[in-house]
Amino acid sequence: MGILQQCALVGAMTVFATAMPSPAVKAPLYGIATGNPASLISVDTTTGKKTPIGKPFSNELAAQQLSAIDANKDVYYILDFNDTSRKPNLLGLSLADGSIKVDLTIDLDELAFVGVGQSVGVDPLTGLVIINGHDSTVQGHHFISVDPWSATPSKATSICKIPAPNVYLLGGSSTVDWDAGVMYAMLVMPPADGSAAAVWEPFNTTADIQAQARYVPNRAPEMIVKQSADGAPPPPPPPPFSVQLMAIDYKAKTFKAVPTGRNLGTLAYDEVKKSVVGFSEEKLPDGTYAKTLMAMSTAGARTLTKIGDVKGLNGEMGPITTVDSQSRVHYSFLQPPPAGWKTSTKCASDGFPCKAGTSCCFLPPDEPACFAVASCSDMHNGPNITAPFLLAQLNLDTAASVVAKPPPICSIAGNDCPWSIEAAEKQTWGRN
């Protein structure tokens, strides 16, 4: 393949050490630049300028935000796919010069799209790297840990295996609460109401296997049989599933679902307030959605609360986010909502007339659809195809913009959006 491929609990908590640091100068921001070869970059939070660090590296295919940073060891980790070994790979890049300090093959399954169903995080207090990927032995998730700085860096320690439906998130998100020794990840799980078995049983007949192999791309090559031009069965429907926030205690080797009442599209750890923060959405009366910044306490009942609404920015470049806890800044790539929703008659002419109380609206060049608004002028958010993404910097306490006019960081047309970003704040306190 040779190019970067985008895809678009439990246990007692032992905290804390001594003094909390006072807010300081913003931590340096780093990222991974797109392209083949790719490279480590630094990001200027004032101008959005991206500066390569050291030599680029090749033969590594990456997905969005499959990264973690250990600022104590000055290493930027990415979990990618090595185009030579054809296996998932943990790469650790020096923040000083971009050189490769860690290069470990990870014995987990790679699915049809690089990074789908995978997670990575680091505990900077111990140096452990926590990894999740698909495990065919349970048809589900397998969390492991590696210590790249030990005498046996390639040794993987199994944390837990979680049976789940054979469906995986494209652009999932995770984070590590290193104070408690817990990794949080949004995972595909069996339906929350228990209406289906935990494991999706494989089909039995040859035709079923053919269909399943076409629908589930991680099936072994020998199961993929050439389809006839006229007799191929349709792919089976996806199994019942839910998307849940899971907490994996990597010290106790236990896991537990965290019922939040809503999905978080991104996850990052706020070390100062001991909370997991991320974007979610609220449905508005006009049928559209507003972006909100949420926080979940990692202690006690893990209550989810709203930090605030994200004003003036809506479009999101995948799960690319990070936080600088000590400076109270949440970083992400966002766009302003587009202007110019237009009315169309095409819904009716295409045979799908809008019901009473709804309107046929579109944003050029997209196709129209029916929305629950009296007039298309009432539409106030949606994808912005042409605008650049901005390096949004939100206050972790109010969700208000830290920078009134955040700098442009990239654009789809320019094909220059970093695959991930990480704030390099030092962790010098934590669990005893």
Side-chain angles (χ1 to χ4, degrees):
M1 289 181 279
I3 57 172
L4 281 176
Q5 178 181 355
Q6 178 176 1
C7 298
L9 196 143
V10 254
M13 292 186 160
T14 52
V15 281
F16 301 51
T18 52
M20 298 287 283
S22 59
V25 176
K26 286 183 182 179
L29 192 63
Y30 296 90
I32 298 295
T34 54
N36 184 43
S39 63
L40 181 69
I41 57 173
S42 63
V43 180
D44 188 310
T45 60
T46 301
T47 65
K49 181 181 178 181
K50 305 181 289 289
T51 303
I53 299 174
K55 296 180 180 179
F57 53 92
S58 57
N59 300 319
E60 303 287 341
L61 316 180
Q64 287 181 326
Q65 207 56 28
L66 272 181
S67 62
I69 198 165
D70 187 340
N72 290 345
K73 295 188 181 296
D74 291 323
V75 170
Y76 193 111
Y77 289 108
I78 58 173
L79 182 64
D80 59 22
F81 177 76
N82 186 278
D83 203 19
T84 300
S85 69
R86 314 299 295 173
K87 295 287 290 184
N89 202 49
L90 179 67
L91 212 61
L93 306 172
S94 166
L95 296 181
D97 58 17
S99 60
I100 297 176
K101 299 298 184 183
V102 175
D103 191 353
L104 299 177
T105 298
I106 305 300
D107 190 20
L108 291 170
D109 301 330
E110 190 73 57
L111 304 182
F113 291 97
V114 170
V116 169
Q118 295 178 357
S119 312
V120 65
V122 65
D123 181 337
L125 304 180
T126 63
L128 283 179
V129 178
I130 317 302
I131 297 169
N132 168 50
H134 176 262
D135 189 315
S136 58
T137 64
V138 293
Q139 288 299 324
H141 313 286
H142 189 184
F143 285 82
I144 64 173
S145 66
V146 296
D147 184 350
W149 311 100
S150 70
T152 54
S154 60
K155 178 183 177 181
T157 299
S158 179
I159 298 170
C160 61
K161 295 182 179 182
I162 308 176
N166 221 2
V167 177
Y168 294 89
L169 286 179
L170 184 70
S173 188
S174 64
T175 194
V176 169
D177 170 2
W178 50 80
D179 291 309
V182 173
M183 184 180 205
Y184 292 90
M186 297 300 301
L187 299 179
V188 172
M189 297 294 293
D193 60 4
S195 60
V199 180
W200 187 29
E201 295 296 335
F203 293 178
N204 296 317
T205 68
T206 299
D208 285 341
I209 289 175
Q210 291 176 13
Q212 188 181 23
R214 291 195 303 162
Y215 175 73
V216 186
N218 59 287
R219 290 300 183 197
E222 59 267 24
M223 294 180 67
I224 302 177
V225 184
K226 184 177 180 180
Q227 304 292 309
S228 64
D230 56 354
F241 67 90
S242 63
V243 177
Q244 299 181 40
L245 178 63
M246 301 295 293
I248 293 83
D249 187 322
Y250 51 86
K251 296 185 70 180
K253 297 186 177 181
T254 57
F255 63 90
K256 183 179 182 180
V258 182
T260 61
R262 63 197 302 173
N263 286 336
L264 296 174
T266 64
L267 299 174
Y269 181 54
D270 179 351
E271 183 178 32
V272 170
K273 286 198 170 180
K274 312 301 179 190
S275 63
V276 172
V277 298
F279 286 136
S280 187
E281 291 187 331
E282 291 183 343
K283 191 172 184 179
L284 302 177
D286 64 6
T288 59
Y289 289 83
K291 188 176 296 297
T292 60
L293 188 61
M294 309 293 294
M296 183 194 72
S297 170
T298 57
R302 298 191 177 94
T303 304
L304 188 67
T305 58
K306 184 166 77 170
I307 297 174
D309 295 321
V310 180
K311 303 292 186 181
L313 296 170
N314 185 266
E316 183 180 332
M317 174 51 79
I320 301 176
T321 60
T322 189
V323 300
D324 180 348
S325 302
Q326 298 172 53
S327 296
R328 312 306 299 147
V329 179
H330 178 282
Y331 293 98
S332 60
F333 298 168
L334 300 180
Q335 290 179 323
W341 280 93
K342 299 182 181 299
T343 302
S344 175
T345 60
K346 201 167 185 291
C347 299
S349 62
D350 285 350
F352 300 97
C354 297
K355 296 180 180 179
T358 66
S359 301
C360 183
C361 310
F362 74 107
L363 271 176
D366 292 348
E367 289 295 310
C370 296
F371 293 90
V373 292
S375 169
C376 294
S377 62
D378 295 333
M379 298 290 289
H380 57 80
N381 61 14
N384 197 329
I385 304 301
T386 58
F389 286 93
L390 307 178
L391 180 59
Q393 300 164 53
L394 305 177
N395 186 288
L396 279 169
D397 302 311
T398 65
S401 180
V402 174
V403 178
K405 294 184 178 180
I409 184 72
C410 64
S411 68
I412 294 176
N415 193 30
D416 60 347
C417 290
W419 288 97
S420 62
I421 53 171
E422 300 287 350
E425 55 177 340
K426 302 283 186 180
Q427 288 78 34
T428 57
W429 74 99
R431 61 178 179 271
N432 295 316

